[in-house]
């Protein structure tokens, strides 16, 4: 497995997160033999742990995180939670994710809030085939003073903004509050072995944990530890890509609780969860990126962002107040991977391939991963 990462120089400016690198808020687990081990304490690993504990009231789960929870890709998003999908699986994940949040409405209010979203629709996009309802055509969604690009239709729908750090903390609390779940930080996993009784992971400090099943939720750290796992990853088309986000300050007179999405240009602009700032995400492809490498903003991203924001808000009415650059995992089909990894063993499931949408799809991915894992555990019990 790869060595320990140094913190990225592009940590979100103005956040307290890097100061948490001492971490260790969660007590060290005594249970080294849980039913399921989840390696990776990002939003996918934590939501999977919560889903496993909720679905099966008799199972125990331990999450092992090499740094502190939410320190990977989950630290960087803006983060927009919009009901955009590309495929039938995507749509299923979007719907399951919104249902998850709705079922936890009281807890969710602390880290997720609603923002009306105006979609800019180019002629060639059939919006209802890509965005879950409700959608209202003909309504004016963007606030006074904002301008739509020429030639697009405006359609108004729903979206939410999320505070990813607060959500990761809430998920970790949900795991530990169950009494059957534990979160262990600062514990890099360096090896994984399997025998007839279960899977055993070895940590950098020499400790071992064994379980009936292991979930690898490593985000952009792909499971490419040996020839066989590299072949497994390549076969699924798994690879990494840089993801770029800008923090934007907007003139007071133009501030409003409003988001815009322009799928044709791959631009998404929305308020941050807390405070008066805005976030802009836009696509710029840099493939095969090592998450442990330094990550820098690209000039071309700033130029495209400027063109869009000059048009939307007007020249001189906005400024860049910071940026967020990191890496996510992708597949050719832009679909998440939730799959057994036989290259590592019969009792290993990988959940990754979140393609810049892991925050909004996490509950759906977690539910599917939990179902896969529990059915594998049940099968193994049937065989034993
Ligand atoms: C700039 C930017 C903007 C984004 N905006 C959005 C957005 O608006 N909406 C949205 O839905 N998504 C967005 N995303 C994508 C989202 O952040 C990711 O899809 C999501 O965080 C992936 O979560 P994860 O749990 O898979 O990965 P991670 O959060 O990276 O979690 C993986 C964890 O595994 C740990 N780990 C790795 N190796 C080991 C090991 N050997 N042992 C133990 N632990 C290990 C890591 O430390 C890490 O904490 C954005 C991403 C970026 C970079």
């Amino acid at each position: 497995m790869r060595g320990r990462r140094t913190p990225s120089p592009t940590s979100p400016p103005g956040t307290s997160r890097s100061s948490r690198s001492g971490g260790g808020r969660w007590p060290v687990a005594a249970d080294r033999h849980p039913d399921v081990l989840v390696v990776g304490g990002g939003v996918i690993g934590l939501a999977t742990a919560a889903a496993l504990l909720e679905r099966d009231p008799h199972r125990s789960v331990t999450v092992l995180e090499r740094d502190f929870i939410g320190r990977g890709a989950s630290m960087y998003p803006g983060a927009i939670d919009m009901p955009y999908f590309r495929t039938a699986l995507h749509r299923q994940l979007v719907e399951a994710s919104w249902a998850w949040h709705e079922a936890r409405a009281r807890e969710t209010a602390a880290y997720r809030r609603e923002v009306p979203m105006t979609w800019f629709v180019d002629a060639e996009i059939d919006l209802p085939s890509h965005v879950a309802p409700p959608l209202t055509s003909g309504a004016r969604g963007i606030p006074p003073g904002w301008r739509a690009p020429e030639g697009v239709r405006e359609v108004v729908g729903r979206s939410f903004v999320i505070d990813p750090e607060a959500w990761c903390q809430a998920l970790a609390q949900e795991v530990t509050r169950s009494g059957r779940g534990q979160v262990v930080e600062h514990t890099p996993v360096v090896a994984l072995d399997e025998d007839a009784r279960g899977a055993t992971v070895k940590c950098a400090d020499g400790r071992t944990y064994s379980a009936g099943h292991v979930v690898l939720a490593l985000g952009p750290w792909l499971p490419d530890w040996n020839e066989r796992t590299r072949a497994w990853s390549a076969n699924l088309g798994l690879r990494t890509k840089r993801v770029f986000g800008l923090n934007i300050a907007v003139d007071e007179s133009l501030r409003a609780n409003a988001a815009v999405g322009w799928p044709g240009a791959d631009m998404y602009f929305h308020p941050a969860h807390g405070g008066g700032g805005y976030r802009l995400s836009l696509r710029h492809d840099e493939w095969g990126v090592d998450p442990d490498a330094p990550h820098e903003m690209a000039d071309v991203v700033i130029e495209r962002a400027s063109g869009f924001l000059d048009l939307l808000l007007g020249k001189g009415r906005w400024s860049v107040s910071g940026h967020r650059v990191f890496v996510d995992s992708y597949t050719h089909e832009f679909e998440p991977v939730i799959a057994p990894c036989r290259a590592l063993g019969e009792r290993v499931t990988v959940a990754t391939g979140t393609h810049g949408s892991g925050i909004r799809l996490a509950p759906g991915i977690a539910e599917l991963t939990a179902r896969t894992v529990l059915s594998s555990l049940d099968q193994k019990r049937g065989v034993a």
Side-chain angles (χ1 to χ4, degrees):
M1 229 180 253
R2 286 183 176 151
R4 209 171 157 74
R5 167 179 41 137
T6 49
S8 157
T10 54
S11 293
T15 68
S16 60
R17 287 159 186 162
S18 48
S19 65
R20 282 207 58 237
S21 56
R25 264 176 60 170
W26 305 96
V28 171
D31 186 1
R32 304 257 202 96
H33 305 278
D35 294 309
V36 183
L37 273 169
V38 175
V39 184
V43 69
I44 301 293
L46 292 166
T48 297
L52 282 162
L53 291 162
E54 187 179 43
R55 275 181 170 267
D56 188 331
H58 304 294
R59 305 271 188 199
S60 56
V61 180
T62 295
V63 179
L64 300 176
E65 164 54 45
R66 77 174 187 168
D67 206 319
F68 59 82
I69 60 164
R71 176 65 183 83
S74 301
M75 189 170 79
Y76 292 83
I80 186 80
D81 177 4
M82 58 192 177
Y84 183 79
F85 55 86
R86 291 170 188 261
T87 63
L89 171 61
H90 252 169
R91 182 175 192 146
Q92 182 193 327
L93 296 174
V94 163
E95 287 171 354
S97 296
W98 280 30
W100 161 298
H101 288 299
E102 268 151 35
R104 290 163 167 77
R106 204 178 307 156
E107 297 92 324
T108 298
Y111 54 82
R112 185 177 183 257
R113 72 177 170 84
E114 186 156 2
V115 179
M117 182 151 197
T118 300
W119 294 90
F120 294 150
V121 186
D122 299 295
E124 63 273 19
I125 286 193
D126 173 28
L127 202 68
S129 306
H130 291 289
V131 178
L135 287 171
T136 315
S137 292
R140 176 141 182 103
I142 54 172
W146 294 26
R147 258 181 314 153
E150 242 164 68
V152 300
R153 256 181 331 113
E154 290 177 48
V155 177
V156 181
R158 296 177 79 198
S159 74
F160 294 81
V161 288
I162 288 185
D163 176 341
E165 181 182 17
W167 191 29
C168 283
Q169 295 296 325
L171 284 167
Q173 255 157 27
E174 187 172 332
V175 168
T176 52
R177 239 194 348 245
S178 70
R180 293 172 286 116
Q182 291 173 316
V183 176
V184 190
E185 297 180 303
H186 305 295
T187 305
V189 168
V190 292
L192 196 159
D193 286 313
E194 190 173 304
D195 63 22
R197 282 166 304 144
T200 300
V201 304
K202 191 171 170 207
C203 303
D205 62 5
R207 265 182 295 167
T208 58
Y209 289 79
S210 51
H213 203 97
V214 175
V215 176
L216 296 179
L218 307 176
W221 291 270
L222 303 181
D224 56 359
W225 307 334
N226 58 39
E227 280 298 309
R228 289 187 66 213
T229 52
R230 272 194 289 279
W232 180 85
S233 283
N235 197 32
L236 287 165
L238 260 176
R239 52 193 185 147
T240 56
K241 185 167 92 64
R242 241 182 216 122
V243 184
F244 296 83
L246 288 168
N247 300 352
I248 305 293
V250 172
D251 266 14
E252 201 169 346
S253 62
L254 292 177
R255 285 182 213 152
N257 188 42
V260 298
W262 188 7
D266 237 317
M267 297 267 184
Y268 299 93
F269 181 68
H270 57 89
H273 180 271
Y278 284 77
R279 304 288 184 252
L280 178 68
S281 331
L282 63 173
R283 184 166 166 187
H284 173 63
D285 290 353
E286 286 180 16
W287 293 100
V289 179
D290 177 354
D292 293 318
H295 306 289
E296 292 189 357
M297 179 50 70
D299 289 346
V300 61
V301 171
I302 306 263
E303 278 160 31
R304 281 185 49 226
S306 301
F308 174 66
L309 292 172
D310 281 349
L311 202 135
L312 182 75
L313 303 170
K315 271 192 201 305
R317 312 296 299 277
W318 61 274
S319 59
V320 176
S321 59
H323 63 252
R324 294 159 287 108
V325 185
F326 197 59
V327 186
D328 208 359
S329 52
Y330 286 70
T331 63
H332 293 314
E333 301 302 321
F334 283 78
E335 283 207 335
V337 169
I338 300 152
C341 181
R342 302 228 155 74
L344 280 166
E346 290 294 316
R347 299 165 187 269
V348 181
T349 297
V350 173
T352 187
T354 38
H355 52 84
S357 295
I359 299 292
R360 65 190 189 91
L361 299 181
I365 293 173
E367 295 276 10
L368 213 51
T369 310
R371 239 189 289 149
T372 308
V373 169
L374 292 173
S375 105
S376 165
L377 281 170
D378 288 344
Q379 267 173 24
K380 289 275 177 312
R381 196 167 47 190
V383 169

